[in-house]
Amino acid sequence: MPSVQALSNMSAKAIDNLISNAGSIPITGVTFVEANEAADGKFEPSVNLDPLLEALIVERGVSGALEALGNDEMAFKLMWDHLDDNYSYYNTAVNDAFIDLGIAYSNYLLDGGERLLDVVKYAPDSAADGNMIPDRSQTLHDNILGNFDELSIVDKFGSAAGDIFERIEDAGLGDILGEIGNYADGRGIYGGYDNQDPAQQIAFDQVFFG
């Protein structure tokens, strides 16, 4: 089995041959540091696989890349980290990729997968608000599903928002959006900030994902 370093330097043809022979790309030995445990407050893997992930996305798209990586917890964590490292609010290509990641993750949950509760966004308590809890502590689960927030999609995608809504609905996930035009329903965003109440998202997840 090739090392993770060797995987990052493989050609597209070599990757295709590996997937064909093994069914998926066997990645082992990668660990993750959660944002609340990292000195810099960032969720990161122990090995940089960005070249491999970029090659897989270019050739297969986000969903195909996840399948090639095994569609498991590690695949979602690696993909999220790669996209987050290249994220800016109005980066349409990355925002579009996050929609595909959200669709794949939702299907993973509906198929019985465990929620990914790693902390990926974190800010320690500033004490300015008089409490002793972190100013922000958001899980991977909430970050991924937050990409389905209707108002955010309208803001990020503009005139193309309708196409994004249609893609989500065609995947059988329209309930996450709620009624189009009603920004108060659906799952919405829980950013993990200490002034936010996660009740809406918790209640939604219990009904929709079980």
Side-chain angles (χ1 to χ4, degrees):
M1 180 177 65
S3 67
V4 289
Q5 290 83 3
L7 286 169
S8 286
N9 295 315
M10 276 186 165
S11 67
K13 183 176 181 179
I15 290 171
D16 286 343
N17 289 337
L18 180 62
I19 295 170
S20 177
N21 293 329
S24 63
I25 298 175
I27 295 178
T28 60
V30 178
T31 58
F32 297 85
V33 177
E34 295 188 24
N36 59 326
E37 298 174 346
D40 61 358
K42 294 182 178 180
F43 177 85
E44 292 291 344
S46 58
V47 179
N48 181 0
L49 289 171
D50 282 344
L52 172 65
L53 293 165
E54 182 64 28
L56 287 172
I57 293 170
V58 168
E59 184 178 3
R60 299 165 180 267
V62 169
S63 60
L66 288 166
E67 290 176 7
L69 293 169
N71 243 359
D72 58 9
E73 291 185 17
M74 183 177 291
F76 287 108
K77 292 177 184 180
L78 288 171
M79 184 62 68
W80 181 88
D81 176 71
H82 174 70
L83 295 178
D84 186 67
D85 285 346
N86 293 279
Y87 173 80
S88 60
Y89 188 81
Y90 288 113
N91 185 325
T92 301
V94 173
N95 288 329
D96 190 270
F98 267 122
I99 296 296
D100 284 341
L101 179 63
I103 291 172
Y105 178 64
S106 296
N107 288 329
Y108 160 84
L109 292 175
L110 291 169
D111 287 340
E114 294 292 327
R115 297 175 191 181
L116 303 183
L117 301 180
D118 305 69
V119 176
V120 296
K121 297 294 180 180
Y122 182 80
D125 179 36
S126 64
D129 47 15
N131 61 40
M132 298 180 66
I133 61 176
D135 286 355
R136 188 182 191 189
S137 184
Q138 186 190 38
T139 66
L140 184 58
H141 173 84
D142 283 317
N143 187 282
I144 292 177
L145 294 180
N147 290 291
F148 288 154
D149 177 68
E150 183 187 349
L151 182 58
S152 295
I153 291 173
V154 170
D155 187 30
K156 292 174 180 177
F157 291 95
S159 61
D163 293 336
I164 301 298
F165 295 147
E166 185 174 350
R167 189 191 312 171
I168 296 168
E169 290 167 343
D170 286 348
L173 303 171
D175 285 349
I176 299 181
L177 296 170
E179 180 184 356
I180 302 301
N182 180 358
Y183 297 143
D185 67 350
R187 186 183 188 276
I189 291 177
Y190 175 61
Y193 295 100
D194 64 354
N195 62 350
Q196 288 183 304
D197 184 354
Q200 177 180 341
Q201 288 74 27
I202 291 173
F204 181 93
D205 291 352
Q206 287 175 339
V207 173
F208 191 77
F209 295 112

